[in-house]
Amino acid sequence: VSRTAYHPWSDELESRELRVPLTKDGTLFLKLCSIGSQLLWLHTFAERYIPTGNSPGFIPAGNAKCTKAVPGDEASYPTSFQYIGATQTLMVGGGVFTPVTEEVFEFEVSGLMVVHSWLGYRMKTGAGKRSSPLNAIMPKQWTSQFTTELLQLLWVLEATVHGYPQQKKLLEEVLNSNLFKAEDLPVVPEEMRKPPKPTELDHLEFDFGD
């Protein structure tokens, strides 16, 4: 739970087991399933739960566009990016992407800033830890594929944010509906609460030679 949107139950949600309200309303439950499958479809970049009529891997275009191409020569490879909220402009090196809403640019999952992270790893110096010589292997030029992937990421986040009002409305409907109580559900066996035991595969060692 984000502290920027503090709720009286925040401490309990952070320190106790996850709680999911389960409605007994079958019609409402199916609406929730539909929303869930839509999110899975978006967040797996159209690889799963593909809606009827769509092709695998097809991300519907959103509002964001590349209005100025990122230069593709080695000397102009982006070293930084900048966001200008007043004009909803995302600048990547010499390239320009707009409109990019602040909600999309600041989108985060458990503290991970999605757009920031994606771009950070694709800047000239690269983000993240340096644990291997392989980390030094970086692209030397910005390609059209990078532009396509960035646009698809922005479109996925646009669609995600766009669905928030409907999700909020459905959650309110669920909370106001007849809910299953804990005692209505089967007791979870204690052994199912424990992590799985290590298997032989967890301890395999591979010899790749010299």
Side-chain angles (χ1 to χ4, degrees):
V1 175
S2 171
R3 290 295 181 182
T4 58
Y6 182 77
H7 190 283
W9 301 327
S10 295
D11 290 335
E12 292 191 11
L13 290 172
E14 290 179 352
S15 61
R16 289 173 172 78
E17 294 180 358
L18 182 65
R19 291 166 171 78
V20 179
L22 295 176
T23 180
K24 293 182 178 180
D25 185 326
T27 300
L28 182 55
F29 184 82
L30 289 176
K31 288 182 181 179
L32 295 166
C33 290
S34 177
I35 291 292
S37 63
Q38 178 78 3
L39 283 173
L40 285 171
W41 171 68
L42 282 170
H43 294 175
T44 58
F45 285 83
E47 294 295 335
R48 297 187 62 188
Y49 293 90
I50 302 164
T52 302
N54 281 12
S55 301
F58 173 76
I59 303 293
N63 295 321
K65 294 178 176 59
C66 180
T67 56
K68 183 179 179 182
V70 180
D73 59 292
E74 186 173 342
S76 300
Y77 193 95
T79 59
S80 64
F81 58 91
Q82 180 184 7
Y83 180 70
I84 304 173
T87 57
Q88 298 189 340
T89 300
L90 174 60
M91 302 177 67
V92 181
V96 177
F97 297 79
T98 189
V100 178
T101 67
E102 187 171 352
E103 284 182 297
V104 167
F105 183 69
E106 299 292 343
F107 189 93
E108 67 174 85
V109 178
S110 300
L112 174 70
M113 311 292 285
V114 175
V115 177
H116 294 235
S117 178
W118 192 96
L119 287 170
Y121 276 95
R122 287 160 181 80
M123 294 298 98
K124 188 170 185 176
T125 55
K129 299 179 180 179
R130 296 291 186 269
S131 58
S132 162
L134 294 175
N135 294 126
I137 302 175
M138 299 289 295
K140 294 186 180 297
Q141 296 172 299
W142 184 275
T143 67
S144 60
Q145 182 63 29
F146 284 171
T147 295
T148 298
E149 290 176 1
L150 176 55
L151 284 172
Q152 289 181 335
L153 175 63
L154 296 173
W155 295 341
V156 164
L157 297 180
E158 280 182 31
T160 300
V161 170
H162 180 74
Y164 281 175
Q166 184 184 12
Q167 292 172 35
K168 180 181 178 181
K169 180 176 179 295
L170 282 174
L171 177 58
E172 290 173 350
E173 289 183 32
V174 168
L175 295 175
N176 291 322
S177 69
N178 189 13
L179 299 175
F180 283 101
K181 297 181 179 180
E183 53 266 29
D184 296 331
L185 303 174
V187 177
V188 179
E190 192 60 34
E191 58 269 21
M192 293 187 66
R193 296 180 179 275
K194 299 177 182 179
K197 295 180 180 180
T199 66
E200 292 183 5
L201 292 177
D202 297 323
H203 304 287
L204 285 179
E205 295 183 2
F206 297 92
D207 182 5
F208 293 101
D210 298 328

